[in-house]
């Protein structure tokens, strides 16, 4: 049973967010500008969003008493990451409007369900197969062909739980290296660009799309986002259309980030979905009329969406680990917009902040 009757949550209300990382932090800051309070819920006490939240709960994601108490203290619930148990989403949705619905998380938190969903909805993707044993992996490798990429079905992000298989002799080692009971084998995509499109979708099902951006990774972690992507207009238009189709098929209320590959032949293939603000949308804070975070707040609270128009072109660079030590030099550059997440320990590869540089819009 759902508590969502399409209610509008007016400014002054409280938004409950599961997860309290930098995405929750930047959402809470956008929410505050619109007069909302945020109650963040996260198992780790030292989380970036807690520093800017009106209320916090530190408890595991399956603590039913804490979840009920949290739901009772907010007007609407959303998520800043998707890896929470299904039963948690269902419990929350029975108490308060929960946007997006737990079903959206259920699909997006599991690579196989996600790929099956995309395949069923005729969204272009690379070939894939479910594998539950080394024998099944051998069969799948024959069907799909090598090279291919073996991924864990669950809890994989930033390249974690991912093994490249170049030749048949690598199959057994890849299976044991993946270290999970269920995997997914994907055909290797010989891409020229990795891009993403963020779609905001309101309770009235109206959609607003940000321009497709180009993403460059370092050690599987997003390093740089270039907005807009440097690709021909027909490819950008196609990418936007695909992202909107996926948001509609999933019936997302909130945000959907769609990560895609552009092949050397100009084909656009969807890689992954994230039903929340996304690292590749941080540039929108400084370069767009409405940032992805404000858009997220608007959608979740049932407000009209803002314009996603960009007033400038932008390059966003993540500050990973020790990169953050350069904060003085960054601040000394008058055109650089520095965003720090309030994390105390700059561990290797940890997202500590980002910096966005704007240039006049070219088109
Ligand atoms: P993911 O965790 O699925 O986002 O993958 C992390 C990164 O691995 C992607 O951003 C790509 O650079 C690379 N990758 C993932 N899947 C494939 C694939 N099927 N073909 C080629 N590269 C891939």
């Amino acid at each position: 049973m759902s508590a969502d009757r399409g209610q509008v949550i007016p400014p002054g209300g409280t938004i409950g967010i599961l997860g309290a990382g930098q995405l929750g932090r930047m959402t809470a800051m956008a929410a505050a500008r619109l007069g909302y309070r945020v109650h963040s819920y996260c198992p780790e006490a030292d989380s970036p969003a807690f520093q800017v939240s009106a209320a916090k709960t530190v408890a595991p994601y399956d603590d039913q008493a804490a979840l009920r108490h949290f739901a009772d203290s907010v007007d609407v619930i959303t998520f800043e990451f998707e890896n929470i148990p299904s039963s948690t989403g269902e419990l929350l949705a029975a108490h308060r409007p929960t946007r997006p619905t737990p079903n959206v998380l259920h699909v997006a938190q599991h690579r196989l369900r996600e790929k099956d969903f995309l395949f069923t909805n005729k969204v272009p993707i690379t070939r894939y197969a479910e594998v539950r044993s080394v024998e099944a992996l051998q069969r799948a490798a024959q069907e799909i062909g090598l090279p291919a990429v073996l991924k864990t079905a669950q809890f994989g992000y930033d390249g974690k739980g991912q093994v490249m298989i170049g030749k048949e002799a690598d199959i057994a080692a890849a299976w044991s290296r993946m270290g999970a009971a269920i995997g997914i084998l994907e055909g290797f995509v010989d891409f020229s660009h990795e891009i993403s499109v963020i779609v905001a979708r309101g309770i009235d099902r109206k959609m607003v799309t940000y321009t497709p951006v180009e993403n460059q990774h370092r050690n599987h972690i997003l390093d740089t986002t270039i907005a807009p992507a440097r690709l021909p207009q027909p490819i950008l238009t196609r990418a936007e259309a695909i992202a909107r189709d996926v948001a509609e098929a999933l019936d997302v209320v909130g945000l959907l980030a769609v990560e895609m590959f552009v092949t050397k032949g100009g084909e656009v293939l969807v890689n992954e979905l994230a039903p929340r603000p996304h690292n590749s949308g941080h540039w929108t804070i400084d370069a767009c009329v409405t940032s992805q975070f404000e858009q997220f707040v608007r959608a979740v609270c049932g407000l009209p969406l803002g314009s996603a128009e960009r007033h400038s072109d932008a390059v966003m660079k993540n500050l990973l680990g020790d990169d953050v030590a350069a904060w003085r030099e960054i601040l000394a550059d008058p055109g650089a917009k520095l965003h720090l997440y309030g994390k105390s320990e700059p561990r290797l590869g940890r997202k500590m902040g980002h910096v966005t540089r704007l240039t006049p819009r070219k088109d």
Side-chain angles (χ1 to χ4, degrees), residues 111 126 149 151 157-159 162 186-189 191 194 217 220 259 261 271-272:
R111 283 189 204 276
T126 187
V149 185
K151 300 179 178 179
Y157 62 94
D158 289 345
Q162 223 185 86
E186 287 183 16
F188 179 80
V189 180
F191 57 81
E194 290 191 74
H217 296 83
H220 290 287
E259 294 181 39
F261 299 124
N271 175 36
E272 264 203 319

Side-chain angles (χ1 to χ4, degrees), residues 139-199:
R139 283 195 300 276
Q142 272 187 350
E143 264 171 47
I144 287 171
L146 295 178
V149 185
L150 178 64
K151 300 179 178 179
T152 51
Q154 245 175 324
F155 305 122
Y157 62 94
D158 289 345
K160 291 194 175 79
Q162 223 185 86
V163 192
M164 173 83 175
I165 305 179
K167 51 185 190 310
E168 251 188 81
D170 301 340
I171 289 177
W175 177 254
S176 53
R177 238 186 89 194
M178 182 193 63
I182 309 178
I184 165 167
L185 188 71
E186 287 183 16
F188 179 80
V189 180
D190 191 16
F191 57 81
S192 65
H193 292 78
E194 290 191 74
I195 62 169
S196 55
V197 176
I198 295 174
V199 182

Side-chain angles (χ1 to χ4, degrees), residues 208-243:
V208 161
T209 311
Y210 289 92
T211 195
V213 297
E214 190 176 326
N215 298 318
Q216 296 174 347
H217 296 83
R218 212 184 350 153
N219 301 324
H220 290 287
I221 302 173
L222 182 66
D223 180 57
T224 304
T225 293
I226 300 167
R230 297 163 300 179
L231 282 162
Q233 190 56 47
I235 292 180
L236 303 183
T237 304
R238 169 111 183 96
E240 278 192 38
I242 290 173

Side-chain angles (χ1 to χ4, degrees), residues 2-214:
S2 163
D4 198 340
R5 310 269 172 275
Q7 302 92 316
V8 170
I9 316 302
T14 301
I15 305 167
I17 305 180
L18 258 78
Q22 62 270 16
L23 302 177
R25 177 184 174 97
M26 289 184 271
T27 302
M29 289 159 78
R33 274 189 43 233
L34 287 177
Y36 290 94
R37 299 160 67 85
V38 161
H39 183 156
S40 295
Y41 185 120
C42 178
E44 290 96 37
D46 184 21
S47 293
F50 286 152
Q51 297 166 14
V52 296
S53 298
K56 65 174 185 178
T57 298
V58 181
Y61 289 125
D62 58 358
D63 182 334
Q64 298 215 352
L67 289 166
R68 274 199 200 93
H69 193 259
F70 167 74
D72 285 342
S73 71
V74 302
D75 299 299
V76 64
I77 295 169
T78 193
F79 311 90
E80 63 108 69
F81 85 127
E82 51 273 22
N83 284 325
I84 60 148
S86 286
S87 54
T88 297
E90 278 150 25
L91 184 154
L92 296 174
H95 281 74
R96 283 290 181 271
T98 298
R99 301 172 182 161
T101 60
N103 178 55
V104 172
L105 298 193
H106 185 70
V107 172
Q109 70 186 193
H110 194 276
R111 283 189 204 276
L112 206 54
R113 279 200 288 269
E114 186 174 280
K115 280 277 178 338
D116 287 345
F117 163 82
L118 293 168
F119 181 77
T120 308
N121 285 282
K122 303 189 168 52
V123 177
I125 50 176
T126 187
R127 297 184 70 189
Y128 73 101
E130 174 180 353
V131 288
R132 288 173 180 261
S133 66
V134 69
E135 294 77 24
L137 178 58
Q138 257 145 3
R139 283 195 300 276
Q142 272 187 350
E143 264 171 47
I144 287 171
L146 295 178
V149 185
L150 178 64
K151 300 179 178 179
T152 51
Q154 245 175 324
F155 305 122
Y157 62 94
D158 289 345
K160 291 194 175 79
Q162 223 185 86
V163 192
M164 173 83 175
I165 305 179
K167 51 185 190 310
E168 251 188 81
D170 301 340
I171 289 177
W175 177 254
S176 53
R177 238 186 89 194
M178 182 193 63
I182 309 178
I184 165 167
L185 188 71
E186 287 183 16
F188 179 80
V189 180
D190 191 16
F191 57 81
S192 65
H193 292 78
E194 290 191 74
I195 62 169
S196 55
V197 176
I198 295 174
V199 182
R201 193 161 178 271
I203 54 171
D204 57 2
R205 276 46 183 173
K206 284 196 181 134
M207 285 190 275
V208 161
T209 311
Y210 289 92
T211 195
V213 297
E214 190 176 326

